[in-house]
Amino acid sequence: MTGAALPVLGTFDYVIVGAGSAGSALAEVLGRNPKARIAIVEAGGTDRRFFIQMPLGYGKTFYDMRLNWGYRAEPDPGLDGQSDYWPRGKVIGGSGSLNAMVWIRGAREDYDEWAAEGNAGWSYADVLPVFKAIEDAESGDDRYRGRGGPVHITNPARMLHPLAKRFIEAGRQAGFAYNPDFNGESQEGMGIYEINTKNGWRCSAAKAFLYPALKRGNLTLFSETFVRRVIVEHGRATGIEVEREGVVQVIRAIGEVILSAGAVNTPHLLQLSGIGRGEDQLAAGLPVLHESPAVGHYLQDHLGINYTYRAKGESMNAQLRSPIGKLLAGLNFLLRGRGPLCLSLNQGGGFVKSRPDLDRPNIQLYLQAISTFTGKVGTRPLLTPDPFPGFNIGLSTCRPKARGTILAKTSDPAIAPAIRANVYGVAEDRQDMLEGVKLLRLLASQKALAEIIEEELAPGRDVVTDEQLMLDYSRRSGTVYHPCGTARMGPDPKTSVVDPQLKVHGVNGLRVADASIFPAVISGNTNAAAIMVGVKAGLMIGKNG
């Protein structure tokens, strides 16, 4: 599989595929070497759009196919046969331009478990300095939090809706401790979610890393450029084949190709390039240039569900539903960098145990001081919420055990891969979700929330037995958009795709740096960890290259 007959668009020392969270960070770190010539290639276009940069505007981008790959998973028995919607960023900044901006690193134990699996250099002690270097955090203990880094981390306590405070108080009433910093010494407890914003605007990895790096002059961004495959010649990655303005061309790499295309597109590109499990390759009509059995396998993702309540009194619905409310919120945002438009959908939350015998939290909680119960299916009308006061409390399971696959369907690069998440494929995952939804109702029954709840709208008071609760979550739960593990890191080529240096086993000149390398899903939101992987990859390559 060579690209010798195709026109060459450019030749660089390093070619990065994907200008998302990890790729943007990687490009900036590699670009610190003024002698390095770097290309970063992105299928999507500009992120300079108002509803990307305005934090609550991501409700507008959720189904916008100009910015979004808009994948659909295969029908899943665990979801009562439904095909779950998987938004993924097809835009500069990647999914970090479309996400909810909750800044969570994951638990200390997550990374220590990665290291214990044979991934030297990936323990909590190893990654903590990298996280600190990334951050410009407004709050937190200096032993754990960074100051002066490129990603500004806002503590939105001064802007929270009163419902968030009620939610945290309900947690205290239910026996859960308050945690002032989920990224500090311990993750356990309930509190406020920090968000990666600055002066009220989204602070994505593109804004924090990519755009400053482009000013140096040794980084070239190819946007709206679709990558078809990695070119592998004599066991070495020598470039990529791309389609740009309808023309198929080649971008050559003298040093390395690094895939930062995300947990869906990275394994798909590996397979399109002849790297994967033999039987998977043959089934899709693809060659087997290098047998790598773990490519596209070991998929993990967090699963979530919301319970929706009609409230007595105000929620953010009142602020955002009416024309006057929208006007006031818009002026507050544009003139002061304050107000509901500056916030994530998720204001309060926590990491808790669904039963006391567990050694660490298995449930992540969310408070959304807004409801869209009456919205049309296939929309996310955050800026036009319900015409009555309402709010959501939700959860996601922290460390699901089930593993799925993301595999090429055909040899056509334009055909999306088959996503089989295997939702609730392990009994422990079903039990965690059952205990989790019971926990939501426990919180709703506490005085701080019960006194303002008028009615449970979803799933409703008639859903009470374990069987009914499980049927409800199989029909209403789904991804919370944290896929990982599809090009997992580890020392054994039979069960991993990359080694602890992120080099693809058995293929020279090729690395992966994004959430697909996670050996196991972390406890919590994955964007911060993806950025950490990008920075760490850049430091590794810069040190050795």
Side-chain angles (χ1 to χ4, degrees):
M1 295 179 73
T2 71
L6 297 172
V8 177
L9 184 57
T11 300
F12 300 86
D13 296 308
Y14 301 105
V15 176
I16 301 166
V17 178
S21 293
S24 293
L26 169 62
E28 191 280 326
V29 176
L30 288 179
R32 295 173 190 174
N33 176 1
K35 296 181 180 179
R37 295 169 300 161
I38 307 152
I40 186 165
V41 185
E42 169 57 46
T46 180
D47 62 336
R48 310 245 173 150
R49 295 171 180 263
F50 181 73
F51 287 117
I52 287 178
Q53 301 304 330
M54 183 185 78
L56 202 62
Y58 70 93
K60 290 281 192 181
T61 63
F62 195 74
Y63 289 101
D64 189 338
M65 295 303 109
R66 296 171 299 174
L67 312 172
N68 198 323
W69 292 98
Y71 293 120
R72 283 278 176 187
E74 300 297 298
D76 199 313
L79 296 178
D80 200 33
Q82 297 174 98
S83 298
D84 206 3
Y85 177 57
W86 278 45
R88 296 279 88 198
K90 185 182 180 182
V91 62
I92 293 170
S95 297
S97 286
L98 309 182
N99 71 349
M101 296 153 291
V102 173
W103 189 258
I104 295 290
R105 297 172 175 175
R108 176 191 302 264
E109 296 91 340
D110 296 331
Y111 300 103
D112 288 342
E113 289 172 357
W114 288 11
E117 289 188 21
N119 294 301
W122 292 89
S123 71
Y124 178 76
D126 294 316
V127 302
L128 177 59
V130 184
F131 276 122
K132 290 180 67 175
I134 291 167
E135 289 184 340
D136 181 26
E138 289 183 354
S139 61
D141 189 325
D142 286 348
R143 290 176 297 171
Y144 303 101
R145 307 308 304 276
R147 307 283 187 265
V151 181
H152 188 82
I153 311 301
T154 298
N155 183 333
R158 66 190 182 278
M159 295 185 283
L160 290 184
H161 192 277
L163 273 169
K165 298 174 184 178
R166 283 186 175 274
F167 180 68
I168 295 167
E169 175 60 16
R172 187 195 66 78
Q173 292 169 349
F176 300 118
Y178 175 70
N179 187 340
D181 185 3
F182 297 128
N183 298 302
E185 183 175 8
S186 171
Q187 193 181 58
E188 187 170 1
M190 294 184 64
I192 297 166
Y193 282 134
E194 295 178 310
I195 52 178
N196 53 292
T197 62
K198 186 173 184 179
N199 299 323
W201 298 88
R202 180 185 293 271
C203 185
S204 67
K207 188 177 290 185
F209 291 96
L210 181 62
Y211 290 120
L214 287 169
K215 295 177 182 178
R216 295 189 183 122
N218 63 339
L219 173 65
T220 301
L221 169 63
F222 295 94
S223 61
E224 299 181 335
T225 302
F226 178 70
V227 180
R228 296 166 54 89
R229 64 182 176 95
V230 179
I231 298 167
V232 180
E233 300 174 304
H234 309 295
R236 181 177 187 84
T238 61
I240 58 175
E241 182 181 288
V242 304
E243 185 173 344
R244 180 177 169 86
E245 297 179 345
V247 179
V248 177
Q249 302 173 80
V250 167
I251 300 176
R252 289 287 181 187
I254 296 171
E256 295 188 17
V257 174
I258 307 108
L259 298 182
S260 297
V264 176
N265 290 331
T266 283
H268 191 213
L269 277 172
L270 288 169
Q271 293 167 314
L272 292 169
S273 309
I275 302 166
R277 179 177 297 194
E279 61 193 84
D280 298 336
Q281 296 294 108
L282 295 174
L286 289 163
V288 185
L289 293 188
H290 176 69
E291 175 83 21
S292 185
V295 171
H297 293 260
Y298 299 96
L299 167 67
Q300 285 188 300
D301 188 19
H302 293 133
L303 300 165
I305 191 170
N306 282 338
Y307 274 36
T308 303
Y309 295 89
R310 185 192 293 265
K312 302 172 186 175
E314 291 190 0
S315 69
M316 278 174 56
N317 294 6
Q319 293 173 275
L320 297 177
R321 178 78 188 188
S322 71
I324 292 177
K326 291 179 189 294
L327 176 62
L328 293 175
L331 291 173
N332 201 16
F333 169 64
L334 292 170
L335 299 179
R336 301 177 62 218
R338 301 286 293 272
L341 301 182
C342 297
L343 298 173
S344 170
L345 175 64
N346 304 298
Q347 294 191 19
F351 295 85
V352 300
K353 301 171 185 175
S354 63
R355 57 184 188 276
D357 61 299
L358 296 174
D359 62 349
R360 51 192 285 211
N362 64 327
I363 300 294
Q364 183 176 1
L365 297 169
Y366 307 89
L367 179 280
Q368 301 168 357
I370 192 172
S371 68
T372 57
F373 182 73
T374 57
K376 294 180 181 178
V377 175
T379 66
R380 207 175 198 198
L382 300 184
L383 301 179
T384 310
D386 290 323
F388 52 79
F391 66 94
N392 297 321
I393 57 176
L395 71 91
S396 59
T397 51
C398 286
R399 295 179 314 286
K401 299 296 188 293
R403 299 273 187 169
T405 60
I406 295 180
L407 300 174
K409 294 179 181 179
T410 77
S411 60
D412 184 348
I415 301 297
I419 302 170
R420 296 182 177 89
N422 190 26
V423 173
Y424 305 121
V426 174
E428 186 176 340
D429 295 350
R430 297 193 293 275
Q431 184 63 26
D432 276 352
M433 184 59 78
L434 178 61
E435 293 176 5
V437 296
K438 290 179 178 180
L439 179 57
L440 295 183
R441 281 191 168 159
L442 174 66
L443 290 168
S445 72
Q446 303 304 307
K447 182 176 184 295
L449 287 176
E451 65 187 13
I452 64 160
I453 289 176
E454 185 174 286
E455 179 187 4
E456 182 182 279
L457 297 173
R461 64 183 181 182
D462 293 336
V463 177
V464 291
T465 68
D466 284 3
E467 291 74 16
Q468 289 172 328
L469 291 168
M470 294 174 78
L471 179 60
D472 174 67
Y473 75 59
S474 72
R475 291 176 173 174
R476 292 199 307 114
S477 66
T479 176
V480 292
Y481 327 114
H482 300 159
C484 61
T486 49
R488 72 192 298 263
M489 173 174 61
D492 185 352
K494 294 179 181 178
T495 58
S496 61
V497 177
V498 300
D499 66 17
Q501 295 293 309
L502 306 185
K503 296 178 179 179
V504 173
H505 291 296
V507 180
N508 294 323
L510 182 61
R511 297 196 209 215
V512 175
D514 57 33
S516 68
I517 67 96
F518 292 7
V521 66
I522 62 171
S523 302
N525 311 68
T526 52
N527 187 52
I531 294 173
M532 178 274 292
V533 169
V535 171
K536 193 167 172 60
L539 295 172
M540 287 177 177
I541 297 168
K543 180 179 180 180
N544 299 319

